[in-house]
Amino acid sequence: MKKHINSMGRLVPPCVIMALMAALALPWLALAQTNAPAASAIKPPEVKSGNMLPPVFNGETTTNLGNYWDGVDDDNDLHVNVANSLVLNDAGQMVDTPMSSCPNFVDMNGDGLNDLVVSDTQGFLWIYLNSGEKGKPKFTTGTFIPTFIGWGAKIHVCDWDGDGDNDILFGTFTGDIGILANTGTSQQWQFTRRMGKPRYVDPLFGVDDPQDRLPTLMLGKQTMILGNYMSPWVTDWNKDGKPDLILGEGTYSANSVRLLLNAGSRNKPVFIEDRMFYLSYGEGFEQLTPSVVDYNGDGLPDLIVGTRTGQIRLHKGTQKAIEGKDMVAALRGILAPAVLEFDGFIKIANKTVFDTMSFVYPCDWNEDGLFDLLLGSPKGKVYIALNQGSKTEPKFPKAEPVKGTDTAKDMLAPANWMNGIIRVFWQNFIGGYCNSALLFSAEKELILKAGDPPIRPVDGNTFMYFRYVNNYQGFTRNHMAWIRPINKSPTVEHVVGARVVAPLCTFNLKLKRQYEISFSSILEGKPATWTFWTRELVKPGTEDIADHYETQYAFDIIPPSVGWQKRTYRFKCPSMVQSNYNYHLYFRMPEGNVKFLLDNLSVKEIER
């Protein structure tokens, strides 16, 4: 067994990173491991019979796991991955909040049929090719695009650089407007380069190679940051033949939709503060997601805005009379346009709120000359509301899920476990930079390789199974707060894969007491690790000095094996001063690809 202790600062300040890096220089202390030969004939201490792991965390208790890696659910509805993200609420607190899928309807392969491009709430992209005919879209499964554009990102697909193919603009939590350029053609898209590298990460963190970072829009000479959870929409607002940018804000309370008129060219858009104007005000609504369409058939562009609470706001365009020099100024984009007034809520299925976090994409779905509304959902589904009104009076009496063909069947997952899908939480790098395409399931039987006999549980009815899918392990910080580095080299900043799975419970470990962790595992890939950890209050603070915490670890290596191997490790509670403290347990996957099977987990105290 090995034990490692390091000092850390508080959770949020940047000093956490420096403290963690400094801690890595501390020596490793080797202790005995129970699956090593005994050093003497002395009778070992007995182990208490009671398992400290509550039964609901042993993997036998399961929950439903939606397997959406084909982009379709078991109801044959298009369905992408969902996850919560942090949103500032009206009480001034950052709260985990369901975010919406973001669908666009554009031709991605040049066949004359519009396809679906959907961003999910975990930062992944999906393309569903239309196999139907004009006015009758048809979809089967989704194509996973192995890249990352940020948690809860909002997208707009357009030919941003004027080269004839569709690129993807995306707005992020931190406020960046990123550009995912299509380096392919209008017939065959290409959005990725080196797999496993983050195309977008939180600006606080950076990447090893600047060539891997996606470009972000500038406002003059500075990065364009106007709020958080920015939602972009590209349109030629002033009809000068150049793409302009409309942005909705996600910031609480002080919200608006802005118009940025292109001060550059068709192929190289440029934005400056002098050509940025308010287009509409949120009036207390947040998470504004704008789109543009001629809503009432008067030939003027109108603004539709989705919101956090689900209302879809309508702002009708106006033709403001402009004469003489003002007309010239308006055409040049240096005169502020009229702010569009709120005109009312759009009803879907006779409701002003069809779903929360509304994201609306106007399009002529059935090509009948009337615009329809494509809708995202925090459930991960995509809906279409067909316009059954007229050009001057649109009506959307119902919304139905867009259908596909389910090929990746739903599964069971271990209940009460963190499954490796987790985001960056400020300086707590528990999830790394970007997410991984993965599954963590509860299995009754499994064949890992064709021709091999099936693997069955060591004990009980199920075992736990972690693996990556779609050949996308994601990209993770090697040195993460609370989580030991998987690559021991102090110069390795980032690693591929290395996700963490953990039971969502704590273990009350007592000062100077001995413990035993045991489990059965199968492991393909490099060695994994198990770790108990806590942040121990070592010295209470005073009015002038903050509390002093140290992070304590007990951990060891899990070697690879082709069949079930029983692993047993003994360790001493690593606390320094507290008589008892709650510890967390996690299993960290190795760098690179891995298949990890776990069963019969037990944690016990050793009798003296």
Side-chain angles (χ1 to χ4, degrees):
M1 208 293 298
K2 301 175 183 177
K3 181 173 77 170
H4 181 57
I5 299 173
N6 72 326
S7 299
M8 299 193 65
R10 289 183 176 273
L11 181 62
V12 175
C15 62
V16 170
I17 304 173
M18 298 304 297
L20 180 59
M21 296 297 291
L24 296 172
L26 295 178
W28 299 90
L29 305 176
L31 299 177
Q33 184 181 150
T34 58
N35 49 6
S40 68
I42 299 176
K43 182 179 179 180
E46 295 182 357
V47 177
K48 285 187 176 180
S49 59
N51 188 352
M52 295 174 65
L53 181 76
V56 293
F57 300 95
N58 65 6
E60 293 293 312
T61 304
T62 59
T63 187
N64 291 330
L65 173 63
N67 185 359
Y68 306 137
W69 291 112
D70 58 351
V72 186
D73 64 23
D74 62 352
D75 291 324
N76 289 314
D77 297 337
L78 300 196
H79 198 143
V80 294
N81 294 297
V82 292
N84 291 346
S85 198
L86 293 173
V87 170
L88 187 66
N89 68 7
D90 52 7
Q93 298 175 330
M94 298 297 285
V95 178
D96 257 348
T97 305
M99 306 298 284
S100 177
S101 58
C102 296
N104 284 216
F105 192 50
V106 293
D107 186 359
M108 294 301 297
N109 59 357
D111 65 354
L113 299 176
N114 283 343
D115 310 299
L116 281 171
V117 182
V118 184
S119 67
D120 70 24
T121 60
Q122 295 179 19
F124 295 138
L125 283 170
W126 299 82
I127 296 178
Y128 298 82
L129 290 179
N130 186 348
S131 58
E133 57 187 78
K134 287 281 188 178
K136 295 181 179 179
K138 181 181 178 181
F139 304 97
T140 53
T141 58
T143 300
F144 171 77
I145 306 301
T147 191
F148 177 75
I149 58 171
W151 291 85
K154 309 294 192 300
I155 65 169
H156 191 237
V157 183
C158 60
D159 183 5
W160 180 250
D161 50 15
D163 64 355
D165 56 42
N166 281 314
D167 310 299
I168 300 175
L169 256 66
F170 61 95
T172 68
F173 165 74
T174 53
D176 286 314
I177 309 298
I179 307 169
L180 188 62
N182 186 350
T183 59
T185 67
S186 59
Q187 288 76 40
Q188 182 58 60
W189 67 80
Q190 178 64 44
F191 290 110
T192 56
R193 294 194 298 255
R194 296 190 293 161
M195 290 303 92
K197 299 292 183 181
R199 304 303 307 281
Y200 172 81
V201 297
D202 189 308
L204 291 173
F205 306 143
V207 294
D208 288 329
D209 186 348
Q211 295 296 320
D212 286 317
R213 179 179 284 280
L214 286 175
T216 55
L217 295 187
M218 306 293 288
L219 186 61
K221 296 182 179 180
Q222 303 295 323
T223 300
M224 185 186 295
I225 302 290
L226 302 174
N228 72 350
Y229 288 118
M230 302 304 290
S231 184
W233 185 273
V234 178
T235 187
D236 183 4
W237 183 261
N238 60 353
K239 309 302 180 185
D240 63 354
K242 300 184 296 185
D244 304 310
L245 182 64
I246 294 175
L247 291 175
E249 292 183 42
T251 314
Y252 173 70
S253 184
N255 279 347
S256 64
V257 175
R258 286 184 172 92
L259 168 66
L260 293 93
L261 296 175
N262 186 354
S265 66
R266 169 64 189 92
N267 297 339
K268 292 185 178 180
V270 173
F271 302 101
I272 57 178
E273 285 195 53
D274 288 346
R275 296 194 183 186
M276 179 173 66
F277 311 103
Y278 288 106
L279 191 57
S280 71
Y281 300 119
E283 298 173 332
F285 286 86
E286 315 96 38
Q287 301 291 325
L288 305 181
T289 57
S291 57
V292 175
V293 70
D294 182 359
Y295 185 84
N296 55 0
D298 63 357
L300 298 175
D302 305 303
L303 185 68
I304 296 174
V305 183
T307 63
R308 177 181 66 84
T309 49
Q311 290 89 350
I312 302 171
R313 295 167 60 84
L314 172 62
H315 302 261
K316 290 183 180 178
T318 61
Q319 183 67 60
K320 187 175 181 179
I322 301 174
E323 298 177 357
K325 65 178 181 179
D326 287 347
M327 181 179 292
V328 176
L331 290 174
R332 290 179 177 176
I334 55 178
L335 179 70
V339 175
L340 303 182
E341 298 295 333
F342 170 63
D343 193 72
F345 296 127
I346 297 175
K347 288 186 177 181
I348 307 290
N350 204 34
K351 298 183 293 186
T352 56
V353 176
F354 176 74
D355 210 339
T356 58
M357 284 291 176
S358 49
F359 181 90
V360 188
Y361 186 94
C363 62
D364 190 355
W365 182 263
N366 55 4
E367 301 199 32
D368 63 352
L370 302 176
F371 77 90
D372 309 299
L373 295 179
L374 194 61
L375 306 167
S377 166
K379 301 178 184 69
K381 296 192 179 190
V382 176
Y383 295 87
I384 183 65
L386 295 178
N387 187 347
Q388 297 184 17
S390 65
K391 283 192 175 182
T392 56
E393 294 185 7
K395 293 181 181 179
F396 307 95
K398 62 181 179 179
E400 297 180 333
V402 180
K403 291 294 184 178
T405 303
D406 184 29
T407 58
K409 300 303 179 182
D410 287 355
M411 315 174 80
L412 294 176
N416 309 307
W417 276 68
M418 191 279 283
N419 60 358
I421 301 173
I422 193 164
R423 65 181 184 279
V424 173
F425 186 77
W426 304 121
Q427 265 70 25
N428 186 6
F429 301 121
I430 195 168
Y433 290 151
C434 66
N435 205 3
S436 299
L438 58 84
L439 282 170
F440 184 51
S441 61
E443 302 288 340
K444 296 181 179 180
E445 183 177 280
L446 178 68
I447 297 177
L448 282 180
K449 294 182 180 178
D452 285 355
I455 296 169
R456 295 187 174 90
V458 175
D459 186 31
N461 297 314
T462 61
F463 57 86
M464 293 176 270
Y465 178 33
F466 176 95
R467 70 281 198 190
Y468 300 110
V469 297
N470 287 335
N471 194 32
Y472 190 74
Q473 293 85 42
F475 201 63
T476 309
R477 189 175 176 89
N478 185 33
H479 310 279
M480 300 193 293
W482 327 133
I483 310 298
R484 292 185 53 260
I486 199 71
N487 188 315
K488 297 183 180 63
S489 171
T491 61
V492 175
E493 282 292 314
H494 313 112
V495 291
V496 173
R499 313 313 282 192
V500 170
V501 296
L504 298 177
C505 63
T506 58
F507 300 83
N508 191 261
L509 304 186
K510 300 174 183 177
L511 187 67
K512 299 182 180 180
R513 296 288 181 88
Q514 297 281 337
Y515 295 88
E516 178 183 281
I517 178 173
S518 64
F519 51 85
S520 295
S521 64
I522 297 174
L523 176 60
E524 289 187 5
K526 298 179 181 179
T529 61
W530 62 265
T531 302
F532 284 92
W533 72 271
T534 196
R535 287 188 73 225
E536 182 186 18
L537 177 61
V538 175
K539 186 176 181 180
T542 64
E543 291 184 0
D544 301 320
I545 302 174
D547 293 341
H548 176 64
Y549 286 87
E550 293 192 0
T551 303
Q552 320 295 8
Y553 296 113
F555 71 94
D556 213 326
I557 302 299
I558 306 170
S561 63
V562 296
W564 285 119
Q565 293 292 320
K566 178 71 179 231
R567 307 292 181 187
T568 303
Y569 307 84
R570 290 186 173 179
F571 64 96
K572 182 179 178 181
C573 172
S575 296
M576 296 177 61
V577 295
Q578 301 291 333
S579 59
N580 60 79
Y581 228 72
N582 287 330
Y583 277 73
H584 302 269
L585 168 66
Y586 69 78
F587 294 85
R588 191 173 191 193
M589 302 301 105
E591 183 178 0
N593 203 7
V594 63
K595 293 179 179 178
F596 179 63
L597 288 69
L598 177 68
D599 197 14
N600 206 22
L601 175 62
S602 172
V603 178
K604 298 180 179 180
E605 183 180 340
I606 299 173
E607 293 280 13
R608 296 185 180 182

